[in-house]
């Protein structure tokens, strides 16, 4: 990696670290200071804030343009993404945030603080798995086993295959669960306000760890015949019961900590709109006025895949893009969708889980319970409908893009005015890696499938 994963941890950290959300959305966390010593508190806070950035900036934005939740316009650089032009220079910032802040912080937590701070380490391991999952799902093979050995003189880490990374993800999460289940007395100090997501509630972190295990197990339906049963077992173990178990990206109304979807539109108006396929699919849905903002004519409209010129259409709604709107990263709704698909694949009754998933999403987005009449219109438990309803619910996450690659659903029509006329199925290797790491697995063609994508 360009900076070869050196010790870079924030010298002073608070919620104000989110400064830059307004004007430097994708780079605010790239150049932290390098103090001589650090603490579990600083490491955990750095991991969480950089995760919030990753989850609400370039990686998710690009994935949501590719799967037609969002649409880039010709006003700015996102028009190229809409045309499926994604260069190796375009993804350096995202790579450097994941590796240069989040994963290195998790590595130091495990290396230096595991014995005396198992709760900090356990939370860090969950966040490591979340971010390493982001990385491998868009780039395929990525470094992990050798990624943090610069101090040992290894400045060209070898890449792990994606198959190996998926094994590591399960191991990391297993170790996290063990750490989070240890007695409170085994900790020299325990997370509290420095854990912005759950304020140190280890029971909730354990639930998230199991849902991530289920997410990653289900991802392998094309390469592992036992994927559905594993996913169902992990969801059962998770025991998520309500939206209060959700792990959300957290933002505040202060100028230095704004929701990044809100900040993006305020600083780059008309660069980004919602996608027609997504908006039209919510036409009779109670989430529509919350998920989608009204367009210039007072309606709800999105841009078709080949429309880069319309700027009067709708942006993201206030449920996701108000100044302090939280954005779900790992949620109860996702857990129930995983359960529904796993049960469907296993020949079990998936209907109750699907209905619970939709109901959870409606409640989270609208703050009002879904009516029985609405649920009756959308809860037919076929694979196509499970994936479609998950697509509707998991807006502004990477999961619908992953599901599309894994299942071919929903049946999206690619932008026919693009160069490839095919929806990209990966991101290119960052140019920093190609230029500075001779051991990098370099893939430039965005139509080259990752290992688990056999559709």
């Amino acid at each position: 990696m360009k900076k070869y994963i050196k010790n870079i941890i924030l010298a002073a950290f608070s919620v104000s670290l989110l400064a830059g959300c307004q004007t430097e959305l994708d780079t605010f966390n790239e150049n932290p200071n390098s103090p001589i010593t650090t603490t579990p508190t600083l490491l955990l806070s750095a991991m969480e804030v950089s995760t919030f950035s990753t989850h609400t900036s370039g990686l998710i934005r690009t994935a949501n343009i590719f799967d037609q939740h969002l649409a880039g316009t010709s006003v700015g650089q996102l028009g190229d993404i809409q045309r499926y032009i994604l260069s190796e220079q375009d993804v350096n910032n995202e790579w450097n945030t994941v590796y240069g802040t989040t994963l290195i912080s998790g590595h130091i937590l495990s290396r230096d603080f595991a014995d005396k701070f198992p709760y900090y380490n356990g939370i860090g391991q969950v966040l490591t798995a979340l971010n390493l999952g982001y990385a491998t799902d868009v780039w395929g093979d990525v470094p992990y086993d050798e990624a943090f050995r610069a101090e040992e003189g290894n400045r060209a880490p070898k890449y792990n295959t994606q198959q190996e990374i998926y094994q590591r993800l399960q191991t990391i999460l297993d170790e996290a669960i063990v750490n989070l289940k240890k007695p409170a007395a085994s900790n020299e100090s325990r997370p509290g306000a420095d854990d912005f997501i759950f304020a140190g509630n280890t029971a909730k972190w354990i639930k998230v760890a199991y849902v991530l295990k289920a997410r990653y197990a289900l991802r392998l339906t094309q390469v592992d015949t036992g994927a559905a049963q594993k996913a169902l077992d992990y969801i059962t173990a998770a025991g998520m019961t309500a939206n209060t178990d959700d792990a959300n990206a957290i933002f505040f109304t202060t100028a230095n900590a704004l929701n990044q979807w809100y900040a993006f539109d305020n600083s780059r108006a008309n660069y980004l709109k919602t996608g027609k396929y997504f908006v039209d699919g919510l036409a009779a849905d109670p989430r529509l006025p919350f998920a989608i903002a009204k367009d210039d004519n007072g309606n709800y409209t999105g841009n078709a895949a080949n429309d880069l010129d319309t700027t009067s259409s709708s942006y993201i709604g206030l449920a996701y893009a108000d100044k302090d709107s939280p954005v779900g990263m790992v949620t109860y709704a996702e857990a129930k969708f995983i359960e529904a698909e796993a049960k469907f694949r296993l020949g079990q009754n998936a209907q109750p889980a699907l209905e619970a998933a939709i109901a959870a999403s409606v409640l989270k987005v609208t703050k009002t319970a879904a009516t029985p009449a609405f649920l009756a219109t959308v809860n037919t438990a076929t694979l196509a409908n499970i994936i479609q309803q998950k697509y509707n619910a998991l807006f502004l996450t990477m999961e619908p893009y992953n599901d599309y690659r894994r299942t071919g659903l929903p049946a999206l029509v690619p932008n026919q005015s693009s160069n490839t006329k095919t929806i990209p199925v990966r991101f290119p290797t960052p140019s920093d890696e190609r230029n500075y790491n001779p051991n990098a697995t370099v893939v430039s063609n965005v139509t080259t499938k990752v290992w688990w994508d056999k559709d």
Side-chain angles (χ1 to χ4, degrees):
M1 288 159 253
K2 185 175 183 180
K3 298 181 182 178
Y4 301 111
I5 310 299
K6 62 184 179 180
N7 278 339
I8 44 176
I9 299 300
L10 305 173
F13 185 89
S14 67
V15 175
S16 65
L17 182 63
L18 281 165
C21 286
Q22 266 187 299
T23 58
E24 298 295 336
L25 293 174
D26 300 331
T27 60
F28 80 99
N29 232 349
E30 283 182 35
N31 188 30
N33 298 316
S34 301
I36 297 173
T37 61
T38 189
T39 67
T41 288
L42 291 175
L43 292 164
L44 176 60
S45 297
M47 289 190 79
E48 291 195 354
V49 171
S50 60
T51 299
F52 300 163
S53 174
T54 293
H55 188 74
T56 54
S57 56
L59 286 182
I60 304 300
R61 187 167 59 236
T62 299
N64 272 242
I65 289 174
F66 288 164
D67 72 20
Q68 298 180 21
H69 279 99
L70 299 174
T73 73
S74 55
V75 171
Q77 70 268 31
L78 297 184
D80 283 345
I81 309 294
Q82 189 71 20
R83 291 191 294 268
Y84 308 151
I85 301 170
L86 183 65
S87 76
E88 58 180 12
Q89 290 81 22
D90 292 332
V91 295
N92 281 322
N93 288 341
E94 287 72 24
W95 178 278
N96 291 332
T97 298
V98 170
Y99 276 93
T101 300
T102 314
L103 294 183
I104 182 62
S105 298
H107 168 70
I108 296 172
L109 264 176
S110 291
R111 185 192 67 190
D112 296 348
F113 299 100
D115 292 341
K116 295 182 179 180
F117 303 91
Y119 288 178
Y120 278 100
N121 188 28
I123 296 171
Q125 288 168 317
V126 176
L127 293 168
T128 291
L130 176 61
N131 284 273
L132 187 59
Y134 287 150
T136 191
D137 284 336
V138 297
W139 284 298
D141 298 353
V142 293
Y144 183 69
D145 291 350
E146 296 187 2
F148 312 108
R149 295 183 180 175
E151 290 180 347
E152 302 171 9
N154 182 359
R155 297 181 176 275
K158 293 181 180 178
Y159 276 41
N160 291 95
T161 67
Q162 186 172 64
Q163 184 174 7
E164 291 172 338
I165 292 294
Y166 262 78
Q167 294 166 350
R168 303 296 184 274
L169 290 171
Q170 293 294 347
T171 299
I172 293 166
L173 290 165
D174 286 340
E175 292 174 353
I177 292 165
V178 170
N179 281 320
L180 293 165
K181 286 184 175 180
K182 288 182 177 179
S186 64
N187 294 266
E188 189 170 292
S189 66
R190 301 193 298 273
D194 49 351
D195 171 13
F196 304 134
I197 299 174
F198 290 131
N201 187 325
T202 55
K204 290 186 181 294
W205 279 110
I206 290 169
K207 293 179 181 181
V208 170
Y210 275 114
V211 174
L212 284 175
K213 284 177 68 67
R215 174 192 289 185
Y216 297 137
L218 195 65
R219 185 87 79 247
L220 306 186
T221 49
Q222 296 180 8
V223 295
D224 179 2
T225 56
Q229 186 60 59
K230 291 174 185 176
L232 184 57
D233 291 344
Y234 296 144
I235 285 298
T236 301
M240 271 198 177
T241 58
N243 293 338
T244 52
D245 291 330
D246 291 359
N248 297 313
I250 305 298
F251 302 97
F252 303 89
T253 57
T254 56
N256 291 334
L258 293 171
N259 172 293
Q260 292 196 53
W261 297 110
Y262 171 90
F264 188 92
D265 192 49
N266 273 265
S267 64
R268 305 176 191 180
N270 295 323
Y271 279 37
L272 187 67
K273 296 295 179 179
T274 51
K276 176 178 172 58
Y277 180 88
F278 176 55
V279 175
D280 289 355
L282 295 179
D285 194 300
R287 291 167 289 190
L288 177 66
F290 299 88
I292 309 299
K294 287 185 177 180
D295 65 15
D296 290 354
N297 297 312
N299 301 311
Y300 300 102
T301 57
N303 287 11
N306 62 350
D307 180 3
L308 281 76
D309 297 323
T310 300
T311 59
S312 60
S313 47
S314 297
Y315 187 64
I316 304 164
L318 293 181
Y320 297 91
D322 205 354
K323 290 182 179 180
D324 61 346
S325 298
V327 181
M329 299 185 297
V330 183
T331 63
Y332 172 59
E334 181 188 353
K336 300 308 287 186
F337 280 116
I338 291 172
E339 179 183 342
E341 182 181 343
K343 286 185 171 179
F344 175 83
R345 289 181 179 277
L346 294 168
Q348 301 177 20
N349 182 10
Q351 199 89 6
L354 176 58
E355 183 170 329
I358 299 169
S361 173
V362 170
L363 180 60
K364 184 178 181 73
V365 174
T366 72
K367 310 303 181 188
T368 303
T371 65
F374 172 69
L375 292 174
T377 67
V378 295
N379 65 1
T380 303
T382 63
L383 180 62
N385 194 47
I386 291 169
I387 299 299
Q388 179 66 61
Q389 294 304 324
K390 190 177 178 185
Y391 177 94
N392 291 348
L394 269 58
F395 182 36
L396 303 184
T397 75
M398 197 183 291
E399 288 311 288
Y401 178 56
N402 293 330
D403 287 340
Y404 173 76
R405 292 183 287 165
R406 176 175 61 90
T407 68
L409 298 168
L412 303 173
V413 178
N415 179 0
Q416 295 303 300
S417 65
S418 66
N419 290 340
T420 64
K421 297 181 175 55
T422 301
I423 294 174
V425 291
R426 68 174 305 123
F427 290 9
T429 305
S431 60
D432 286 353
E433 284 293 285
R434 180 179 58 78
N435 289 327
Y436 298 101
N437 183 356
N439 288 320
T441 301
V442 177
V443 181
S444 300
N445 188 343
V446 295
T447 64
T448 300
K449 294 180 178 182
V450 296
W451 165 72
W452 52 252
D453 179 8
K454 306 296 184 183
D455 181 61

